[in-house]
Amino acid sequence: MTIIRSLLLFVAAAIAEIGGAWLVWQGVREHRGLLWIGAGVAALGVYGFVATFQPDPNFGRILAAYGGVFVAGSLGWGVLVDKFRPDRWDLIGAAICLLGVAVIMYAPRTGHG
């Protein structure tokens, strides 16, 4: 159950961070205005809180692992929202990042690891 909770928190964090950054991008680069930018900033703030609910107590581990989720999630966001078509190298890179997430977060640990 702890791994499922952790994975769901990573997904929620990715939606908040990637969505927030996308909203800021739309507000600035696509000239959609301050409401888009403000919504993006708020979503980025939510992202900061979501990470604190991870069951692991180590900030560095959480953020390091989340980096891999962010990479894969960003490509997924691009596919779903911007109709981006990743090539095989994008997909291989994202898979490597997700493997890193699994190793960092869910490998069995002994002692103080």
Side-chain angles (χ1 to χ4, degrees):
M1 191 57 136
T2 302
I3 292 175
I4 293 170
R5 177 177 178 227
S6 175
L7 290 171
L8 291 173
L9 286 167
F10 276 136
V11 169
I15 291 168
E17 185 183 18
I18 298 163
W22 184 83
L23 287 166
V24 171
W25 177 284
Q26 293 298 309
V28 175
R29 298 276 303 249
E30 303 298 328
H31 309 289
R32 295 198 174 177
L34 289 176
L35 287 176
W36 286 72
I37 295 168
V41 169
L44 290 166
V46 168
Y47 152 73
F49 281 97
V50 170
T52 68
F53 296 112
Q54 281 287 351
D56 190 291
N58 299 290
F59 175 82
R61 180 176 293 143
I62 298 300
L63 269 285
Y66 174 68
V69 174
F70 178 81
V71 169
S74 295
L75 289 173
W77 185 279
V79 168
L80 293 173
V81 176
D82 290 329
K83 307 306 178 218
F84 171 69
R85 294 183 54 96
D87 63 22
R88 68 180 167 166
W89 301 110
D90 295 323
L91 298 174
I92 291 168
I96 292 168
C97 289
L98 291 175
L99 178 61
V101 171
V103 171
I104 291 169
M105 286 298 296
Y106 311 119
R109 290 192 160 74
T110 59
H112 292 78

